[in-house]
Amino acid sequence: MGAPWLPRRLLVPLLSCAAVLASLSGGPALGAVEAATPGPAAPAAAAAAVTFADEFDGPAGSAVNGGKWQIETGDNVSNHERQYYTAGNGNAALDGQGHLVITARRENPANYQCWYGRCEYTSARLNTAGRFTTTYGRVEARMKIPRGQGMWPAFWMLGNDIGQVGWPASGEIDVMENVGFEPSTVHGTLHGPGYSGSGGIGAGYTLPGGQAFADAFHTFAVDWSPGAITWSVDGAVYQRRTPADLAGRQWVFDKPFFVILNLAVGGYWPGDPDGSTAFPQQLLVDYVRVSTDTGGQPSGGPVTGVGGKCVDVAGAATANGTAVQLYDCNGTAAQRWSVGGDGTIRALGKCLDAASGGTADGTRVQLWDCNGTAAQQWAVPAARDIVNPQANKCLDAAGGSTANGTRLQLWTCTGAANQKWTVTR
């Protein structure tokens, strides 16, 4: 975001969004970690609880729930956006079909004045400041974004202490931003002291096959835990950020944040609308939900195999490269696995991973940061195999052993007992 600007009529600053985003580096580096017996047992995780939800149910034309959202008004000079954000339900209203519709129009019915003169566009911006904040959890929205040059929809969060420390010291988490000239790409970004505006830390996610995000609803989410934030689109993880990504700069994301939805028109990053841009344009929001789930999949269960032993994270450790092994079932979080709709199998907030993306017989299986690569994709067919499609190989208990500490690996599928697994979902 650019330098913040705070007109008196706004309850929180109107801040512009990130411009130039860093590319996400490649897949995991891999050194196999030798078999290890578990250390102290990790406690079983509690079930995730929903802490905020708005499904936007209500009569067509009605305003948003004022107990959950406040509506900001005014223009925004800091990034040379062109819209005036209006109050009430003029540009933010329910459609009677379970959606919030934020509409950008080429109009100025009330002679609104903007930084550049008489405003040319109206739109809306909502936030939960003073109503709801969260520290950690899963923050997600299902949305259908607008299309066209100059359109700039965003779903993001600001540190609740912004009134005391200012921006960017408050921190900002951009869950999703899109600029109209990139119809197939969205961006997720962190902003903080020393890495704000065009220097934000982030990455983009591009739909395959030239699909446009404006053509259908998509789910945009972050899974946020102490010292780590992971972004996904429709369940596909595309980046994970930790303090190690900041090159010694301050991590300001372990405190309360509030949620923001807006549709901007024009600005330094998207550029202004042109003759190709049709109006009105709409951002449709199916829901916004926040839960206490931080990516650890507490709702999962054990995966049992040969000898009745459980798939276990050695020592309940969360370091990249931690061995995944067989061990006596003990009900701890180190043996609680969740099979995701994105093809991952997760425990302790990380993913089951084929070391170095290997496909050969004997490739070790380990715990690693979720990164969306084929090394972390698994199919769980009815035959009770767990298959890595990239390798076309099965999850295998090495040597057919049932001893505690037996490492798991990839191996050509044989149908043997040491490749059969029972997944408790």
Side-chain angles (χ1 to χ4, degrees):
M1 295 222 162
W5 168 76
L6 180 57
R8 287 177 297 172
R9 59 183 171 270
L10 295 188
L11 296 175
V12 299
L14 282 173
L15 303 174
S16 37
C17 303
V20 180
L21 298 166
S23 301
L24 179 63
S25 58
L30 288 164
V33 174
E34 293 307 311
T37 55
V50 175
T51 56
F52 178 92
D54 199 336
E55 308 294 327
F56 302 112
D57 294 322
S62 56
V64 294
N65 184 339
K68 296 181 177 182
W69 302 94
Q70 62 176 339
I71 299 178
E72 301 181 22
T73 61
D75 67 334
N76 187 339
V77 66
S78 61
N79 207 43
H80 279 202
E81 297 169 20
R82 295 281 174 173
Q83 78 290 325
Y84 187 96
Y85 289 128
T86 66
N89 62 352
N91 293 81
L94 308 186
D95 68 356
Q97 302 177 44
H99 305 126
L100 164 65
V101 183
I102 298 179
T103 304
R105 297 184 174 92
R106 189 194 299 270
E107 64 170 13
N108 189 343
N111 197 31
Y112 300 120
Q113 297 299 304
C114 288
W115 59 269
Y116 56 89
R118 191 174 189 274
C119 304
E120 300 172 356
Y121 307 92
T122 62
S123 189
R125 173 165 151 162
L126 296 69
N127 72 67
T128 66
R131 278 82 167 159
F132 170 79
T133 63
T134 187
T135 306
Y136 313 133
R138 180 174 179 85
V139 181
E140 67 177 302
R142 183 173 183 263
M143 301 187 291
K144 184 177 181 181
I145 69 171
R147 69 176 77 240
Q149 170 57 37
M151 293 297 100
W152 191 358
F155 171 47
W156 50 298
M157 295 186 283
L158 282 173
N160 197 50
D161 59 356
I162 190 167
Q164 292 74 51
V165 303
W167 184 91
S170 62
E172 175 184 329
I173 303 169
D174 296 327
V175 183
M176 185 287 300
E177 292 182 279
N178 168 263
V179 284
F181 60 80
E182 294 180 332
S184 299
T185 301
V186 294
H187 298 271
T189 316
L190 294 180
H191 301 272
Y195 50 101
S196 61
S198 62
I201 307 296
Y205 176 90
T206 300
L207 288 171
Q211 300 174 65
F213 276 100
D215 291 337
F217 280 90
H218 295 273
T219 301
F220 308 96
V222 293
D223 290 294
W224 173 25
S225 57
I229 303 173
T230 301
W231 283 256
S232 63
V233 175
D234 298 328
V237 172
Y238 68 95
Q239 71 167 332
R240 183 173 188 267
R241 298 295 175 182
T242 71
D245 294 302
L246 304 186
R249 292 164 291 186
Q250 185 182 5
W251 176 267
V252 291
F253 306 103
D254 294 318
K255 60 184 179 182
F257 277 65
F258 60 87
V259 178
I260 307 167
L261 284 167
N262 72 288
L263 175 54
V265 180
Y268 287 130
W269 187 15
D272 291 340
D274 59 22
S276 70
T277 311
F279 283 93
Q281 286 291 330
Q282 295 181 331
L283 170 63
L284 274 67
V285 187
D286 185 30
Y287 63 77
V288 176
R289 298 173 187 159
V290 182
S291 74
T292 57
D293 187 357
T294 59
Q297 287 70 47
S299 59
V303 178
T304 53
V306 64
K309 298 288 179 81
C310 277
V311 176
D312 176 276
V313 179
T318 59
N320 284 339
T322 297
V324 177
Q325 59 185 12
L326 285 184
Y327 209 84
D328 292 332
C329 297
N330 53 36
T332 65
Q335 296 180 356
R336 189 177 295 273
W337 298 89
S338 179
V339 179
D342 59 352
T344 61
I345 299 178
R346 304 189 186 202
L348 301 174
K350 296 206 172 179
C351 279
L352 189 69
D353 177 279
S356 298
T359 60
D361 282 348
T363 297
R364 294 294 182 93
V365 173
Q366 60 187 7
L367 205 66
W368 200 273
D369 291 336
C370 298
N371 54 33
T373 63
Q376 297 179 356
Q377 293 293 300
W378 305 91
V380 186
R384 294 177 51 222
D385 306 313
I386 296 179
V387 180
N388 177 248
Q390 173 179 250
N392 194 27
K393 296 229 163 85
C394 281
L395 185 68
D396 177 282
S401 174
T402 61
N404 283 342
T406 297
R407 280 297 301 261
L408 302 190
Q409 60 184 5
L410 294 184
W411 201 269
T412 300
C413 298
T414 64
N418 62 318
Q419 295 181 354
K420 296 300 181 182
W421 309 94
T422 299
V423 179
T424 304
R425 299 174 188 263

